[in-house]
């Protein structure tokens, strides 16, 4: 009996952890890409609501933002942006209303230090953002 309870709790925990996390693997027009650096998290004040990642592939850097189920399922209007922070090139992309995932444009910045930045805007007065670690 106790074994079943532990297994049920473990299954619920795994389901809850995986339900809001994106598993991005390929950038638009590129195919397979590799994440560089750690994932950053956009926190709206009550905990994380979106992930920000930086990828490399096809000779370019890419920023990626994914909005978690816990935020998206509230039904509110919002948009996200994905940007590569680097000298002279950003690849900035603004998603449409309620787009859950947004990729930046690929930037020719593999030879310089870069960061991915994601913004979540749910009200013109409020924008929340996060930056990944700088990668050189």
């Amino acid at each position: 009996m106790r074994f079943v309870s532990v297994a049920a709790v473990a299954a619920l925990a795994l389901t809850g952890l995986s339900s809001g996390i994106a598993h991005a693997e390929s950038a638009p027009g590129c195919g397979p890409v590799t994440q560089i650096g750690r994932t950053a998290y956009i926190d709206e004040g009550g905990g994380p609501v979106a992930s920000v990642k930086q990828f490399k592939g096809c000779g370019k850097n890419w920023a990626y933002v994914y909005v978690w189920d816990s935020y998206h399922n509230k039904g509110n209007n919002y948009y996200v942006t994905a940007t590569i922070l680097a000298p002279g090139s950003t690849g900035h992309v603004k998603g449409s209303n309620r787009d859950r995932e947004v990729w930046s444009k690929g930037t020719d910045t593999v030879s310089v230090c870069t960061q991915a930045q994601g913004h979540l805007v749910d009200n013109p007065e409020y924008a929340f953002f996060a930056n990944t670690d700088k990668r050189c």
Side-chain angles (χ1 to χ4, degrees), residues 23-49:
H23 301 286
E25 295 178 3
S26 51
C30 176
V33 290
T34 302
Q35 182 174 348
I36 56 174
R38 292 182 296 184
T39 302
Y41 301 97
I42 298 174
D43 186 330
E44 167 183 63
V49 295

Side-chain angles (χ1 to χ4, degrees), residues 41-50 68 70-71 74 120 128:
Y41 301 97
I42 298 174
D43 186 330
E44 167 183 63
V49 295
W68 293 6
S70 60
Y71 185 83
K74 290 180 181 179
L120 184 144
F128 304 93

Side-chain angles (χ1 to χ4, degrees), residues 1-27:
M1 179 80 149
R2 184 169 197 200
F3 175 74
V4 172
S5 297
V6 171
V9 170
L12 281 172
L14 287 174
T15 302
L17 288 175
S18 66
S19 65
I21 299 173
H23 301 286
E25 295 178 3
S26 51

Side-chain angles (χ1 to χ4, degrees), residues 8-96:
V9 170
L12 281 172
L14 287 174
T15 302
L17 288 175
S18 66
S19 65
I21 299 173
H23 301 286
E25 295 178 3
S26 51
C30 176
V33 290
T34 302
Q35 182 174 348
I36 56 174
R38 292 182 296 184
T39 302
Y41 301 97
I42 298 174
D43 186 330
E44 167 183 63
V49 295
S51 303
V52 180
K53 299 180 180 187
Q54 182 175 192
F55 291 89
K56 68 177 181 176
C58 301
K60 298 179 185 284
N61 289 107
W62 308 79
Y64 174 77
V65 180
Y66 179 80
V67 177
W68 293 6
D69 292 342
S70 60
Y71 185 83
H72 179 77
N73 291 342
K74 290 180 181 179
N76 299 331
N77 291 328
Y78 66 87
Y79 69 86
V80 295
T81 65
T83 304
I84 288 291
L85 301 177
S89 183
T90 67
H92 179 81
V93 171
K94 175 185 173 186
S96 297

